[in-house]
Amino acid sequence: MKKVLGVYSAPRQHWVGDGFPARSMFSYTSHGKQLSPFLLLDYAGPAEFSPTTRPRGVGSHPHRGFETVTIVYKGEVEHRDSTGHGGVIGPGDVQWMTAGSGILHQEFHSEAFSRSGGTLEMVQLWVNLPAKDKMTAPGYQAIVDRDIPAVALPDGAGSVRVIAGEFDGHAGPAHTFTPMNVWDMRLNQGASTKLSLPTGWHSALVVLRGTVLVNGETVAREAQMVLLDNDGNSVDIEANNDAVVLVLSGEPIDEAIVGHGPFVMNSQEEIAQAIADFNSGRFARIAEPA
């Protein structure tokens, strides 16, 4: 089995704009080498929002050098970017955005969710790009819930939604630049399962809801991340109560990680160039809706 290297609790919640109360489960400043190709994961909510006529969120902001993966559990998020893509993602949907050479992006609560109010719960995962792909053309994958395979676990233990990679012969719909698995797992109270994870890959369990017992000895609760050793090829998970766990595993990108705010590159020179390109208007603009 993959040994547990540590259990990490999210720091205090911080606001991203006025619409996303987020807890950073990990970042490349703390776990860059241990979790490559994954850079950062923010868990937003669950939080209650009252009805409003003015959508809350975060306005136009740039990214370069990586991908953002937004998974919505509750509520709705409306997004637009400088490639011309946009739309609304709701419960179960995933927005997989490749910033690549540079993109401008904005995210707000949807108009319908803003009017009705309710619970918002989502995660945003940052996935690194290797040096050869950091300046790839920006792109976007709209992945709706019905296109994500939901695979039943043995003995009625729960299910795994395969967003990226493969689980039990089922391939996820997301295209990735390096090999990885992104699994959204539900584990029923009192149930247990054994997951196979590739030897040599970086792996982590992010507990979003519930309490789980890992490898029969390590307890992890809501808003905690379990870091696993590269060695070994499996992990045992038992749910003390109904649990939602995001399972991440990926082939490491053995390259320098240099980040500055919304830019993640391989050198300070590339960061300086990204800032200069953004300040000089070389990133495309988001067109206002007609």
PDB file of all heavy atoms in Angstrom, residues 1-16:
ATOM      1  N   MET A   1       0.834  -1.198   0.000  1.00  0.00           N
ATOM      2  CA  MET A   1       0.000   0.000   0.000  1.00  0.00           C
ATOM      3  C   MET A   1       0.873   1.253   0.000  1.00  0.00           C
ATOM      4  O   MET A   1       2.023   1.230   0.438  1.00  0.00           O
ATOM      5  CB  MET A   1      -0.914   0.016   1.229  1.00  0.00           C
ATOM      6  CG  MET A   1      -2.016  -1.020   1.173  1.00  0.00           C
ATOM      7  SD  MET A   1      -3.254  -0.772   2.481  1.00  0.00           S
ATOM      8  CE  MET A   1      -2.253  -1.091   3.919  1.00  0.00           C
ATOM      9  N   LYS A   2       0.293   2.341  -0.491  1.00  0.00           N
ATOM     10  CA  LYS A   2       0.983   3.626  -0.430  1.00  0.00           C
ATOM     11  C   LYS A   2       0.905   4.163   1.003  1.00  0.00           C
ATOM     12  O   LYS A   2      -0.184   4.319   1.560  1.00  0.00           O
ATOM     13  CB  LYS A   2       0.336   4.631  -1.401  1.00  0.00           C
ATOM     14  CG  LYS A   2       0.636   4.349  -2.866  1.00  0.00           C
ATOM     15  CD  LYS A   2      -0.009   5.415  -3.741  1.00  0.00           C
ATOM     16  CE  LYS A   2       0.356   5.223  -5.212  1.00  0.00           C
ATOM     17  NZ  LYS A   2       1.745   5.565  -5.501  1.00  0.00           N
ATOM     18  N   LYS A   3       2.030   4.447   1.592  1.00  0.00           N
ATOM     19  CA  LYS A   3       2.044   4.966   2.956  1.00  0.00           C
ATOM     20  C   LYS A   3       1.510   6.399   2.999  1.00  0.00           C
ATOM     21  O   LYS A   3       1.650   7.159   2.040  1.00  0.00           O
ATOM     22  CB  LYS A   3       3.476   4.941   3.508  1.00  0.00           C
ATOM     23  CG  LYS A   3       4.042   3.547   3.712  1.00  0.00           C
ATOM     24  CD  LYS A   3       5.458   3.616   4.264  1.00  0.00           C
ATOM     25  CE  LYS A   3       6.036   2.229   4.467  1.00  0.00           C
ATOM     26  NZ  LYS A   3       7.435   2.292   4.973  1.00  0.00           N
ATOM     27  N   VAL A   4       0.909   6.741   4.126  1.00  0.00           N
ATOM     28  CA  VAL A   4       0.457   8.114   4.356  1.00  0.00           C
ATOM     29  C   VAL A   4       1.649   8.940   4.825  1.00  0.00           C
ATOM     30  O   VAL A   4       2.272   8.630   5.841  1.00  0.00           O
ATOM     31  CB  VAL A   4      -0.672   8.154   5.395  1.00  0.00           C
ATOM     32  CG1 VAL A   4      -1.012   9.606   5.754  1.00  0.00           C
ATOM     33  CG2 VAL A   4      -1.907   7.428   4.874  1.00  0.00           C
ATOM     34  N   LEU A   5       1.975   9.988   4.078  1.00  0.00           N
ATOM     35  CA  LEU A   5       3.090  10.857   4.434  1.00  0.00           C
ATOM     36  C   LEU A   5       2.665  11.999   5.351  1.00  0.00           C
ATOM     37  O   LEU A   5       3.496  12.575   6.057  1.00  0.00           O
ATOM     38  CB  LEU A   5       3.739  11.435   3.171  1.00  0.00           C
ATOM     39  CG  LEU A   5       4.353  10.423   2.204  1.00  0.00           C
ATOM     40  CD1 LEU A   5       4.963  11.148   1.007  1.00  0.00           C
ATOM     41  CD2 LEU A   5       5.400   9.569   2.902  1.00  0.00           C
ATOM     42  N   GLY A   6       1.380  12.327   5.334  1.00  0.00           N
ATOM     43  CA  GLY A   6       0.904  13.401   6.194  1.00  0.00           C
ATOM     44  C   GLY A   6      -0.542  13.730   5.913  1.00  0.00           C
ATOM     45  O   GLY A   6      -1.076  13.420   4.842  1.00  0.00           O
ATOM     46  N   VAL A   7      -1.178  14.343   6.906  1.00  0.00           N
ATOM     47  CA  VAL A   7      -2.543  14.845   6.779  1.00  0.00           C
ATOM     48  C   VAL A   7      -2.489  16.344   7.031  1.00  0.00           C
ATOM     49  O   VAL A   7      -1.966  16.794   8.058  1.00  0.00           O
ATOM     50  CB  VAL A   7      -3.496  14.170   7.776  1.00  0.00           C
ATOM     51  CG1 VAL A   7      -4.902  14.748   7.649  1.00  0.00           C
ATOM     52  CG2 VAL A   7      -3.521  12.661   7.568  1.00  0.00           C
ATOM     53  N   TYR A   8      -3.022  17.120   6.103  1.00  0.00           N
ATOM     54  CA  TYR A   8      -2.896  18.577   6.153  1.00  0.00           C
ATOM     55  C   TYR A   8      -4.279  19.215   6.161  1.00  0.00           C
ATOM     56  O   TYR A   8      -5.127  18.896   5.330  1.00  0.00           O
ATOM     57  CB  TYR A   8      -2.091  19.082   4.951  1.00  0.00           C
ATOM     58  CG  TYR A   8      -0.696  18.493   4.890  1.00  0.00           C
ATOM     59  CD1 TYR A   8      -0.466  17.275   4.243  1.00  0.00           C
ATOM     60  CD2 TYR A   8       0.374  19.135   5.492  1.00  0.00           C
ATOM     61  CE1 TYR A   8       0.808  16.729   4.194  1.00  0.00           C
ATOM     62  CE2 TYR A   8       1.650  18.597   5.449  1.00  0.00           C
ATOM     63  CZ  TYR A   8       1.858  17.390   4.801  1.00  0.00           C
ATOM     64  OH  TYR A   8       3.123  16.842   4.764  1.00  0.00           O
ATOM     65  N   SER A   9      -4.477  20.114   7.118  1.00  0.00           N
ATOM     66  CA  SER A   9      -5.746  20.835   7.220  1.00  0.00           C
ATOM     67  C   SER A   9      -5.666  22.143   6.450  1.00  0.00           C
ATOM     68  O   SER A   9      -4.609  22.790   6.406  1.00  0.00           O
ATOM     69  CB  SER A   9      -6.073  21.129   8.689  1.00  0.00           C
ATOM     70  OG  SER A   9      -6.230  19.935   9.416  1.00  0.00           O
ATOM     71  N   ALA A  10      -6.791  22.525   5.860  1.00  0.00           N
ATOM     72  CA  ALA A  10      -6.831  23.791   5.126  1.00  0.00           C
ATOM     73  C   ALA A  10      -6.673  24.954   6.096  1.00  0.00           C
ATOM     74  O   ALA A  10      -7.167  24.911   7.226  1.00  0.00           O
ATOM     75  CB  ALA A  10      -8.148  23.919   4.374  1.00  0.00           C
ATOM     76  N   PRO A  11      -5.966  26.019   5.686  1.00  0.00           N
ATOM     77  CA  PRO A  11      -5.888  27.217   6.519  1.00  0.00           C
ATOM     78  C   PRO A  11      -7.235  27.933   6.538  1.00  0.00           C
ATOM     79  O   PRO A  11      -8.217  27.469   5.954  1.00  0.00           O
ATOM     80  CB  PRO A  11      -4.815  28.062   5.825  1.00  0.00           C
ATOM     81  CG  PRO A  11      -4.851  27.612   4.400  1.00  0.00           C
ATOM     82  CD  PRO A  11      -5.219  26.162   4.437  1.00  0.00           C
ATOM     83  N   ARG A  12      -7.271  29.067   7.201  1.00  0.00           N
ATOM     84  CA  ARG A  12      -8.517  29.815   7.302  1.00  0.00           C
ATOM     85  C   ARG A  12      -9.047  30.199   5.920  1.00  0.00           C
ATOM     86  O   ARG A  12      -8.287  30.428   4.983  1.00  0.00           O
ATOM     87  CB  ARG A  12      -8.311  31.085   8.130  1.00  0.00           C
ATOM     88  CG  ARG A  12      -8.058  30.827   9.600  1.00  0.00           C
ATOM     89  CD  ARG A  12      -7.968  32.132  10.369  1.00  0.00           C
ATOM     90  NE  ARG A  12      -9.224  32.884  10.294  1.00  0.00           N
ATOM     91  CZ  ARG A  12      -9.384  34.073  10.832  1.00  0.00           C
ATOM     92  NH1 ARG A  12      -8.379  34.677  11.454  1.00  0.00           N
ATOM     93  NH2 ARG A  12     -10.556  34.699  10.733  1.00  0.00           N
ATOM     94  N   GLN A  13     -10.357  30.276   5.866  1.00  0.00           N
ATOM     95  CA  GLN A  13     -11.028  30.631   4.618  1.00  0.00           C
ATOM     96  C   GLN A  13     -10.660  32.050   4.181  1.00  0.00           C
ATOM     97  O   GLN A  13     -10.473  32.938   5.005  1.00  0.00           O
ATOM     98  CB  GLN A  13     -12.534  30.534   4.852  1.00  0.00           C
ATOM     99  CG  GLN A  13     -13.401  30.508   3.639  1.00  0.00           C
ATOM    100  CD  GLN A  13     -14.854  30.258   4.042  1.00  0.00           C
ATOM    101  OE1 GLN A  13     -15.530  31.143   4.546  1.00  0.00           O
ATOM    102  NE2 GLN A  13     -15.319  29.033   3.837  1.00  0.00           N
ATOM    103  N   HIS A  14     -10.535  32.232   2.853  1.00  0.00           N
ATOM    104  CA  HIS A  14     -10.312  33.561   2.294  1.00  0.00           C
ATOM    105  C   HIS A  14     -11.278  33.745   1.122  1.00  0.00           C
ATOM    106  O   HIS A  14     -11.764  32.775   0.544  1.00  0.00           O
ATOM    107  CB  HIS A  14      -8.861  33.741   1.833  1.00  0.00           C
ATOM    108  CG  HIS A  14      -8.482  32.861   0.677  1.00  0.00           C
ATOM    109  ND1 HIS A  14      -8.124  31.535   0.842  1.00  0.00           N
ATOM    110  CD2 HIS A  14      -8.416  33.104  -0.665  1.00  0.00           C
ATOM    111  CE1 HIS A  14      -7.848  31.001  -0.340  1.00  0.00           C
ATOM    112  NE2 HIS A  14      -8.025  31.922  -1.267  1.00  0.00           N
ATOM    113  N   TRP A  15     -11.541  34.986   0.799  1.00  0.00           N
ATOM    114  CA  TRP A  15     -12.482  35.270  -0.280  1.00  0.00           C
ATOM    115  C   TRP A  15     -11.758  35.485  -1.595  1.00  0.00           C
ATOM    116  O   TRP A  15     -10.751  36.186  -1.655  1.00  0.00           O
ATOM    117  CB  TRP A  15     -13.310  36.513   0.061  1.00  0.00           C
ATOM    118  CG  TRP A  15     -14.405  36.219   1.027  1.00  0.00           C
ATOM    119  CD1 TRP A  15     -14.327  36.238   2.386  1.00  0.00           C
ATOM    120  CD2 TRP A  15     -15.743  35.822   0.699  1.00  0.00           C
ATOM    121  NE1 TRP A  15     -15.528  35.877   2.938  1.00  0.00           N
ATOM    122  CE2 TRP A  15     -16.427  35.628   1.928  1.00  0.00           C
ATOM    123  CE3 TRP A  15     -16.427  35.625  -0.491  1.00  0.00           C
ATOM    124  CZ2 TRP A  15     -17.766  35.232   1.979  1.00  0.00           C
ATOM    125  CZ3 TRP A  15     -17.760  35.233  -0.444  1.00  0.00           C
ATOM    126  CH2 TRP A  15     -18.409  35.040   0.772  1.00  0.00           C
ATOM    127  N   VAL A  16     -12.276  34.864  -2.641  1.00  0.00           N
ATOM    128  CA  VAL A  16     -11.855  35.135  -4.006  1.00  0.00           C
ATOM    129  C   VAL A  16     -12.956  35.974  -4.634  1.00  0.00           C
ATOM    130  O   VAL A  16     -14.074  35.482  -4.861  1.00  0.00           O
ATOM    131  CB  VAL A  16     -11.630  33.834  -4.798  1.00  0.00           C
ATOM    132  CG1 VAL A  16     -11.208  34.149  -6.231  1.00  0.00           C
ATOM    133  CG2 VAL A  16     -10.577  32.962  -4.117  1.00  0.00           C
TER     134      VAL A  16
END
